[in-house]
Amino acid sequence: MNEITPIDIEFASLNFTTIVPMLIAIVGALLILCIDLVNKKLDKSLYVMITVLFLLIDLGALASFSSDVRGFFDLLLVDGIAILSQGIIVIASIFFVLTAMGKLRFQEYRYPEYFALYLFMIAGFQFMVSSDSLILILVGLETASMALYTIIAMHNRLNALEAAIKYFTMGALSTAFFAFGSLIFYAVTGTVELGKISEVLVASSFENYPLVLLGVIFMLGALGFKLSLVPYHTWVADVYEGSTAALAGFLSIVPKLAGFVVALRFFEIFIAASDPFVEIILYITVVLTITIPNIIALLQKDISRMLAYSSISNAGFAMTAILIGTTQATQALFLYWLMFLITNLGAFSMLWINRSKNSTNFSSDHTLEKYSGLIKREPFTALMMGLFLFSLAGIPPFALFWGKLYLIGSAVNAGYIILALIMVINSAIAGYYYLKPIVHIFLKEPEPNSEKLLENATVSIKGIIGFCGILVIFSILLIEPLLDIISYYVQISGY
Amino acid sequence: MEYILSILIFFPAFAGFIGFLVKEDSIKAYGIIVTALQFILSLILWINFDVNEALMQFTQVIPLISTYGINYSVGVDGISLFLVIMTTFMTMISIIGLSEKRDLKNLIITILFLEMTMVGVFLALDAIIFYAFWELSLVPMLYIIGAWGGKLRIYASIKFFLYTFLGSLIMLVGMLYLGYVYYLTTGVYSFSLEDWNMMILPFDMQFWLFIAFFCGFAVKVPMFPFHTWLPYAHGQAPTIGSVILAAVLLKMGTYGFVRFSLPLFPDASVYFTIPMAILALIAIVYTAMVAYAQEDMKQVIAYSSVSHMGVIILGIFALNVEGIGGSIFLMISHGIVSGALFMLVGVVYDRTHTKLIKDYGGIASIMPKYATIFAIMLMASIGLPLTIGFVGEFLSLLGFFKVSATLTLIAGLTIIFGAVYMLTMYKKVFFGEVRNEKNKELKDLNKRELSALIPLVALVIILGVYPKPILTPVENSVSALVDLMKIKAAEDNTRLEIIDRNSIEGDK
C-alpha cells in the first residue's frame, strides 16, 4: 500500500515576504472589524484613516522589492510588473478611500465593514497581479470581485442594488469563462502556470491548436468582462451610474489595471509567438472597444454615464498596448493608465463633490443642465472640471495627452499605422462629447434657480482634486521620472 | 537675452494668472499694459536679432522626456520673427480697440492665454512642443467664440474646434512617425526640427508624411475644401475673436507649411506644387465669388481672408525666394489688414448691432474719419501699390510666375475680382443716400477706436512704401530654407526643379 509521503516544508522555502503586502491589507481589514466589535460608535473618519495607514504600510512593504521573487511553490510571482501594478493599485486606493470623507452622509460609510471590504478587495487585486498561476489569479479575482459587489450594493439606493446584481451576474459568468479557459489550458498543456503553458505550447508548436484557440476565446471573454471590452461592456454604464461617483471612478481605474496585468501576462504567450488568429481577434476587439463606446457616449445626457462609456473606450486604448506587445507599448500601457488615473480621479471626484442628495431639479445626478453656466456661478469649480475634461480629450499639455502620445507613438513605431489612425480618429470623436459638458460649463447661461453645487466638498476631497489638478497641468514634468521607474520595472520582468 | 523667447512665450500666461486678482473695472488697462509690454519685448527681440544671420537665433533647449527625444526647444529666425511681432502687435491693438462689456475679465485673461499659445507656435522648434501650443490655442479660441459670440456661437465654436482638432491629430501621427524614422536612422528618438532637417527621406515616405502634415495645416489655413468652419467662426465670433483669428491663427497653418512641409519634404513639395496651386486657385476664385454674394460685411471679409490665404499658399509653393518671402510678407500684411477690417466692422456693429450691408448706405458723409480709414484698409486689402498689401501679393505671384504663367494669370485675374467685391461693398455701405434714418445719428470714431486704428494705418502705409526692414531678414532665412531644400532633395529632378525655379532669367 502506498503511503502518502508527509509534506515537509521549510518555512524559508515559502519565501514569505512575497505575501507580506497583501497580508498587511488583510490585517488592516481584520483590525477594522475587531475595532467595530469593541466600540460601535466610532466615526467613519477613523476607519478611513486606518485604511489609509495600512495602505501606506502596504506601499512601504512593496517598495522593499526590487527584483523578481517567487514564493509559495512558485504560485506567487513578484516581478517588476507585479510591483509596479501593485504600487499603482495601492496609491490609487489611498486616494479613492479619502473621497469617503464627503460632507453628505451616505449609508455605506457608516458601516466599518465597508472599509474592511475595501481592504480585502485591494488584497485580492494584489494577489491577482502578482501571480502567473491561473488558479491563484482566479482566487484573487474572486476575492476582489466579491468584495466589490458588496461595496456597490451597500450604497443604499434602488439602482445601486440593480448595479450590484448586474455586476455580480456578469462577474459570475466571467468567472465561469475563466475557469473553463484555465481548464482547457490545463488539458492541453498539463499546467496552469502561464510561464509553463507558454513553454509547452511553443515546444509543441501549438499542438491541438483549435482547443488552444477555444481556451483563448474563453479567456478573452473572462478578461473582457473585467476590462469592459466590447462586446462584454454592457454592464459598465449602469453599474457606474448605480454607484457613487467616487466608486465609479475607482471602478474605472483599479480593477481594470489588475485585469490589464493578467491580460498582459496571458496574451504575451500568443503575441510573442505572433499567433495570427489571436492577433486578429485582439485587433478587432480593440478597435471595436475604442470605437463603439465612443459613439454611444456621444448620445449620453448624463456626465457620469458619458464618463463611463469614455472609460470603456480608454480601456480599449490601453488594450492596444497589449496587442502591440513591444516593450515600449508595455511602458505606454502603464504611463497611459497613470495619466488616466490622475485625470479620472479628478474628474470623478469633481462629480462626487458636486453631488446633491435632495436634488429633484434634474432627471439624474449629473445631467449636463446641472452644470450650465458653471463658470459664472462657481468659476474655480468650472475651471477644474474644464481642466479634467480637456485632459481626457487629450489636449496638450494636460496629462492624458502624454499618455496618448506615448501610446500612439508605440503603435506607430511597431508599424501599426492604421491602428494609430483609428486611435486618432476616435480621439477626435471623443473630443466632441468631452466638449458637450465644456459647452454647458463655459458657454451656456446658468439655469434659473440652480442650486449651489459643491455640497459634498470637504477639505480632504478638495485637497485630492487640487493635487490631481496640479499633476494634470504639470504632467510634462512627471513623464520623464515616471518613464524611468516604469521602464526599470518593465524591463526587469522582461516584457 | 538668453531666455527672451521663453519670457515672450510665458509672460502673457503668467500675467493672465495674476490678472485674476485685478478688479473687473481696471482689467482692460491691465490687459493693455501687459500686451504693450509683450509688444515691447518682441521689439527688443527684433533689435537684438542679427538680421544678417539666416539660421535660428536665441535658441534654448531644455530636456523634457529625453528617452523619447522630446525637448522644450525654441528659437527664432527671419521667418518667425515678424510673425511673432505681428502677433504681439495685433493682440495689443485688439485689446486697445476692445469694446466688449460682458465678462471683460474672463475675456482678457483668455486672450492673454491665447497670446501665449500663438507666440509658442511661432517659436517652437520641437514638433511636440509646437503641437502642444498648436492644440492648446484651440481652447481659448473655443471659449472666445462660444461665450462672446452671436446666436449660433456654440455651433460655430464646436465646428471650429472639431475640424482643427481632427486635422491636427492626423498631423500628430505624422510627427510621431518622423520621430520614429529618426530613431531608425540614428538610434535615438528626436522631435527636434533641426535634427529632422538633417534627414533625407525617400520620396514614398515624404508623400505620405506630406499628406499627414497637410491635414493639420490645410484645415487651419483654411484651404479649400477644408474652409467651411471659417465663415461660421468669423460670423459668430466677437470682434476681438475675428481679429485674432484672421490676423494670427490662420497664419499658423501657412507658417506650418513653410516651417515643416517645405524643408522636411522637399520632393513631395515639388510633387504637390500643382495640386496645391489648384486648391489655392479654387480658394481664390470660388471664395471671391462667394464673397461677392454675401450680405453681411463680416462674411465678405471672412471669405476674402480665405481668398488671400490662397495667394499665400500659391506663393509658398512657388518654392523660390520671391514666392516664399512674399507669402511671409503677405501673412504679416494680411494679419494687419484683415485685423483692421474686422475691427472696422466691429466699430459700426457696436453702434447699430447689424452687420448687414443693406442696413447701411451713405455712411461716408456721417462718419468721414471712419470712411477714410476703411478706404485705406480696403486699398491695402485689394493690394494697391504703396500699401502693405501690394508687396506680398506681388512677390507671391511673381514667384509663382516662374512655375506656371497660366495659373498665375488666373490668380492675378481674381485679384481683380477681389477689387470688385470689396469696392462694391464699399460703395453700398459708404456712398449713395442714407437709407436708414437711424444711421444719421451715428458718431464718428472715438479716441479709443482711433488709437487702435491709426497705428495700423501708419503701418499699412509705411511698410507699403518701404518694406525692406522686414523683407531683408525674411529673405535671408528663406534663401537658407531654399538651400536646405536643395540639399535635402532625395531625387535629382527635384533639385533641378528647385534650382530652376530660383534662377534669374539671365542665368539659363
Side-chain angles (χ1 to χ4, degrees), chain B residues 17-194:
Chain B
F17 269 117
I18 297 178
F20 279 112
L21 304 173
V22 179
K23 282 255 160 58
E24 180 94 28
D25 52 3
S26 27
I27 190 77
K28 194 176 159 188
Y30 180 77
I32 293 172
I33 292 168
V34 169
T35 48
L37 279 175
Q38 171 81 354
F39 175 57
I40 293 168
L41 274 175
S42 64
L43 290 181
I44 293 174
L45 176 69
W46 187 10
I47 293 165
N48 285 282
F49 184 85
D50 180 1
V51 283
N52 300 314
E53 169 70 56
L55 299 174
M56 287 293 166
Q57 304 179 30
F58 304 106
T59 47
Q60 188 189 357
V61 180
I62 301 171
L64 286 177
I65 308 176
S66 41
T67 45
Y68 203 44
I70 298 173
N71 301 311
Y72 168 81
S73 150
V74 288
V76 67
D77 68 353
I79 298 172
S80 46
L81 174 69
F82 296 104
L83 287 166
V84 171
I85 296 175
M86 191 263 286
T87 305
T88 57
F89 178 68
M90 288 310 290
T91 315
M92 177 182 73
I93 292 291
S94 65
I95 290 195
I96 293 174
L98 184 62
S99 62
E100 187 68 50
K101 297 282 181 295
R102 273 177 301 154
D103 272 337
L104 197 57
K105 189 164 164 180
N106 287 350
L107 181 59
I108 285 182
I109 290 170
T110 312
I111 286 171
L112 291 177
F113 279 107
L114 184 60
E115 190 173 17
M116 169 190 81
T117 63
M118 296 186 300
V119 175
V121 164
F122 292 130
L123 293 179
L125 289 185
D126 183 285
I128 300 298
I129 301 301
F130 173 84
Y131 181 81
F133 284 120
W134 172 280
E135 284 291 73
L136 198 59
S137 72
L138 298 181
V139 174
M141 205 57 211
L142 170 88
Y143 188 39
I144 292 174
I145 299 176
W148 287 274
K151 277 197 193 97
L152 285 172
R153 59 181 197 277
I154 290 175
Y155 173 76
S157 57
I158 291 180
K159 188 166 182 173
F160 159 76
F161 189 93
L162 288 182
Y163 258 65
T164 33
F165 191 50
L166 178 61
S168 23
L169 277 169
I170 295 171
M171 176 174 79
L172 179 66
V173 175
M175 288 176 172
L176 290 172
Y177 188 73
L178 255 174
Y180 180 58
V181 171
Y182 189 83
Y183 172 76
L184 288 183
T185 44
T186 62
V188 286
Y189 285 102
S190 174
F191 290 91
S192 152
L193 198 58
E194 285 172 318

Side-chain angles (χ1 to χ4, degrees), chain A residues 31-42 47 112-113:
Chain A
L31 180 73
I32 289 175
L33 292 177
C34 294
I35 292 173
D36 180 53
L37 284 177
V38 180
N39 186 344
K40 287 198 186 298
K41 284 180 190 159
L42 294 167
Y47 299 118
E113 288 87 349

Side-chain angles (χ1 to χ4, degrees), chain A residues 55 88-98 118 122 250 254:
Chain A
L55 288 177
I88 300 174
I89 287 170
V90 172
I91 292 171
S93 306
I94 292 174
F95 284 120
F96 275 110
V97 76
L98 285 171
Y118 191 79
I122 292 157
F250 183 83
V254 175

Side-chain angles (χ1 to χ4, degrees), chain A residues 213 216-217 219-221 223-224 227 229-230 232 260 263-264 266-272 275-290 315-325 416 419:
Chain A
L213 278 189
V216 170
I217 287 167
M219 292 300 281
L220 183 67
L223 293 169
L227 296 172
L229 303 179
V230 172
Y232 314 103
F260 279 129
L264 184 67
F266 176 75
F267 287 111
E268 171 72 13
I269 300 172
F270 301 92
I271 298 291
D275 182 308
F277 190 78
V278 174
E279 275 180 5
I280 287 171
I281 288 187
L282 266 184
Y283 201 117
I284 294 170
T285 310
V286 161
V287 169
L288 291 180
T289 308
I290 297 174
F317 259 87
M319 194 68 191
T320 53
I322 291 167
L323 167 67
I324 296 163
Y416 286 89
L419 185 66

